[in-house]
């Protein structure tokens, strides 16, 4: 096992280039299974989750090759429709192959997926959408099996704007007969990116980024090249770290329009954030101010940035109230922040954070991807040395985190535990 060693207290300053979005790449890889033609994805980050999704596509019979930031996928020979537990349990987003498999072959059998233990993420919305389009579903012995003689367009209302369900239903509907409407659809930028890629393949989709998405089924798709959007959560994490160390940064490639809620909170805390045609600039001086924050579906404040904003709240002047309305088990990082001297009280979905003058280095453990990011942010803010264990979680979603922070002046290295 490896851990990060952080000597805190350094002001971060410099320029970073934002990597391609993990949460956009994973559904794009799944979407290539809908066609028989070669596809190229550009700007693909080197992440553990991406590597697992490549394995999933390869297991299903696609030819997959990554050269630098370019990912080449030729799914013509894809044959398998079944994925066994060892592979599915390594990645929650592996469930995104269900829509393409059902759309192209009208059948799949997959094990329940794994992922971070941040709360309940049921599959019922995905499956209800498939059933509405004509599939029959059987769940038993840890597997989900779906069959359909053919898929027909349907009018589908999601009980909650689930990102995964929206993506899966979109992909299943692309080759279905007739028109599918997804109401109360998720509106995340990654949904728009998926629509843009599918339309390049020959799909007919409108409305991504809005409440209702309309998909008119087509008979077949072709190949295409596509550049992945920048990772707004990675960008938000670096903005938080720089703000917490009273620093200054330019994030090249970051999309201001994808990050309005995060930027609004950083400004409310006292940081100066400016839009630039090529990215985002942030500068912070002095102690940040306490704020209240509630996670919501996009365009609200993202749950994937909740741990990082909590890290900033720990030393902000005053008392902050943080409400986690998406996942019920996403405050596990609070106990680790308390090891560093934070004053955090948890009551159900509410965290009350009384800002302290400083954090102190400690040995802490990352329990999931974004919790790990929060502990890195806190370690960079703290006095003394912080050891972040469970660094494998960070490798799932942050490309070259150590070198990027080092380029900003952070004292951060990776070492083997023990």
């Amino acid at each position: 096992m490896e851990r990060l060693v952080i000597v805190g207290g350094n002001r971060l300053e410099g320029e970073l280039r934002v990597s391609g979005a993990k949460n956009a790449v994973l559904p794009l890889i799944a979407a290539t299974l809908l066609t028989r033609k070669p596809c190229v994805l550009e700007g693909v980050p080197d992440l553990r989750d991406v590597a697992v999704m490549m394995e999933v596509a390869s297991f299903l019979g696609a030819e997959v090759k990554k050269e630098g930031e370019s990912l080449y996928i030729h799914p013509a020979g894809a044959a398998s429709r079944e994925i066994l537990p060892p592979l599915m349990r390594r990645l929650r987003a592996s469930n995104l192959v269900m829509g393409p498999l059902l759309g192209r072959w009208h059948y799949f059998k997959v094990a329940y997926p794994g992922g971070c233990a941040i709360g309940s993420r049921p599959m019922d919305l995905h499956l209800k959408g498939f059933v509405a389009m004509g599939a029959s579903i059987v769940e038993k012995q840890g597997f989900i099996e779906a069959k359909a003689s053919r898929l027909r367009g349907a009018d589908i209302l999601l009980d909650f704007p689930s990102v995964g369900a929206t993506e899966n239903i979109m992909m299943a509907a692309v080759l279905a007969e007739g028109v599918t409407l997804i109401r109360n659809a998720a509106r995340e930028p990654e949904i728009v990116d998926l629509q843009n890629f599918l339309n390049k393949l020959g799909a007919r989709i409108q409305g991504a980024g809005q409440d209702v998405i309309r998909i008119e089924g087509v008979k077949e798709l072709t190949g295409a090249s596509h550049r992945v959007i920048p990772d707004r959560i990675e960008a938000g994490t670096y903005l938080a770290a720089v703000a917490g160390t009273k620093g200054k940064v330019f994030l090249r490639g970051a999309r201001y329009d994808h990050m309005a809620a995060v930027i609004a909170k950083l400004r409310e805390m006292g940081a100066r954030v400016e839009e630039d045609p090529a990215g985002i600039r942030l500068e912070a001086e002095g102690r940040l101010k306490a704020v209240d924050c509630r996670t919501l579906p996009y365009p609200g404040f993202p749950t994937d940035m909740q741990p990082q904003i909590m890290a900033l709240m720990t030393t902000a002047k005053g008392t902050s109230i943080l409400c986690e309305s998406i996942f019920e088990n996403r405050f596990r990082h609070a106990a680790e922040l308390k090891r560093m001297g934070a004053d955090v009280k948890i009551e159900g979905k509410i965290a009350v954070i009384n800002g302290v003058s400083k954090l102190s280095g400690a040995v802490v453990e990352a329990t999931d991807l974004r919790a790990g990011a929060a502990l890195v942010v806190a370690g960079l803010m703290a006095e003394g040395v912080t050891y972040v264990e469970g660094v494998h979680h960070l490798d799932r979603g942050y490309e070259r985190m150590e070198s990027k922070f080092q380029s900003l002046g952070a004292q951060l290295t990776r070492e083997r535990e023990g």
Side-chain angles (χ1 to χ4, degrees):
M1 299 294 289
E2 295 179 319
R3 65 182 182 180
L4 293 181
V5 182
I6 305 169
V7 180
N10 294 310
R11 182 176 188 265
L12 302 184
E13 184 172 355
E15 177 179 321
L16 291 178
R17 184 178 69 85
V18 179
S19 300
K22 173 182 84 81
N23 291 336
V25 172
L26 303 181
L28 294 178
I29 294 174
T32 64
L33 298 172
L34 284 162
T35 182
R36 294 181 55 84
K37 304 295 185 180
C39 297
V40 182
L41 301 177
E42 302 286 357
V44 176
D46 186 15
L47 302 172
R48 191 160 65 90
D49 275 9
V50 172
V52 175
M53 200 65 174
M54 290 167 57
E55 278 189 59
V56 171
S58 180
F59 181 84
L60 291 170
E63 296 179 20
V64 182
K65 180 175 66 173
K66 191 171 189 292
E67 295 181 356
E69 294 187 349
S70 298
L71 180 59
Y72 302 89
I73 305 176
H74 192 182
S80 178
R81 324 279 187 266
E82 182 175 329
I83 307 180
L84 300 177
L87 191 52
M88 290 293 289
R89 286 175 183 162
R90 291 168 58 193
L91 176 65
R92 175 72 187 181
S94 58
N95 67 6
L96 291 172
V97 301
M98 295 191 305
L101 293 179
L102 189 62
R104 182 173 167 187
W105 288 288
H106 301 162
Y107 177 83
F108 67 76
K109 183 178 180 181
V110 300
Y112 279 97
C116 284
I118 58 176
S120 176
R121 290 184 283 181
M123 301 285 293
D124 59 316
L125 297 183
H126 305 243
L127 304 183
K128 285 179 182 178
F130 298 154
V131 170
M133 298 170 67
S136 61
I137 306 288
V138 176
E139 298 180 69
K140 62 180 180 180
Q141 297 179 332
F143 282 86
I144 305 170
E145 185 175 20
K147 299 178 182 178
S149 58
R150 60 178 177 175
L151 294 181
R152 298 184 181 88
D155 194 329
I156 300 167
L157 173 64
L158 297 180
D159 296 334
F160 176 83
S162 161
V163 174
T166 300
E167 292 169 337
N168 249 328
I169 295 168
M170 280 176 66
M171 291 186 283
V174 164
L175 297 175
E177 295 179 10
V179 174
T180 297
L181 296 176
I182 307 175
R183 302 184 188 275
N184 196 29
R187 299 168 58 187
E188 275 76 358
E190 293 80 12
I191 303 287
V192 179
D193 203 40
L194 178 60
Q195 171 187 271
N196 292 341
F197 176 61
L198 289 170
N199 284 344
K200 287 181 180 180
L201 297 179
R204 297 174 182 171
I205 308 174
Q206 297 176 326
Q210 303 174 40
D211 289 336
V212 180
I213 299 176
R214 183 182 189 275
I215 306 107
E216 181 182 347
V218 298
K219 291 188 178 299
E220 62 180 359
L221 300 175
T222 185
S225 294
H226 181 77
R227 175 160 288 276
V228 180
I229 59 172
D231 195 315
R232 60 195 172 95
I233 305 302
E234 182 202 40
T237 299
Y238 287 116
L239 291 179
V242 173
T245 62
K246 306 177 181 63
K248 180 179 180 180
V249 72
F250 176 61
L251 294 185
R252 186 168 298 280
R255 289 278 297 269
Y256 188 93
D257 57 327
H258 291 176
M259 302 177 63
V262 172
I263 289 170
K265 285 301 169 187
L266 290 172
R267 283 175 170 165
E268 193 177 340
M269 296 185 85
R272 292 191 296 276
V273 189
E274 298 178 358
E275 181 179 11
D276 184 281
I280 296 174
R281 298 182 186 277
L282 177 142
E283 186 171 5
E285 297 176 355
R287 190 176 181 185
L288 297 175
K289 295 176 287 187
V291 295
D292 294 341
C293 185
R294 180 184 182 90
T295 63
L296 290 167
Y298 189 87
F301 192 91
T303 182
D304 277 355
M305 278 298 301
Q306 177 260 105
Q308 299 91 310
I309 203 76
M310 182 187 285
L312 291 187
M313 291 172 171
T314 61
T315 60
K317 185 177 181 179
T319 300
S320 299
I321 307 295
L322 182 54
C323 177
E324 173 55 66
S325 66
I326 308 298
F327 293 118
E328 72 276 8
N329 194 27
R330 202 161 202 179
F331 282 146
R332 297 173 71 187
H333 47 282
E336 302 304 303
L337 290 171
K338 290 168 73 172
R339 293 176 184 268
M340 302 177 70
D343 182 353
V344 183
K345 295 179 177 63
I346 305 296
E347 296 182 6
K349 295 184 177 181
I350 305 295
V352 180
I353 303 102
N354 294 307
V356 296
S357 60
K358 64 180 180 179
L359 297 177
S360 299
V363 178
V364 293
E365 182 180 2
T367 54
D368 60 73
L369 170 58
R370 306 307 176 185
L375 297 177
V376 172
V377 171
L380 292 166
M381 294 163 51
E383 289 187 358
V385 181
T386 297
Y387 299 90
V388 180
E389 299 176 341
V391 71
H392 62 281
H393 289 294
L394 290 165
D395 294 336
R396 291 185 45 231
Y398 291 92
E399 183 180 43
R400 296 183 291 105
M401 174 179 268
E402 298 102 286
S403 62
K404 285 188 175 184
F405 271 128
Q406 288 164 3
S407 73
L408 298 179
Q411 288 185 254
L412 181 153
T413 56
R414 183 182 294 229
E415 70 173 23
R416 282 207 167 271
E417 294 182 35

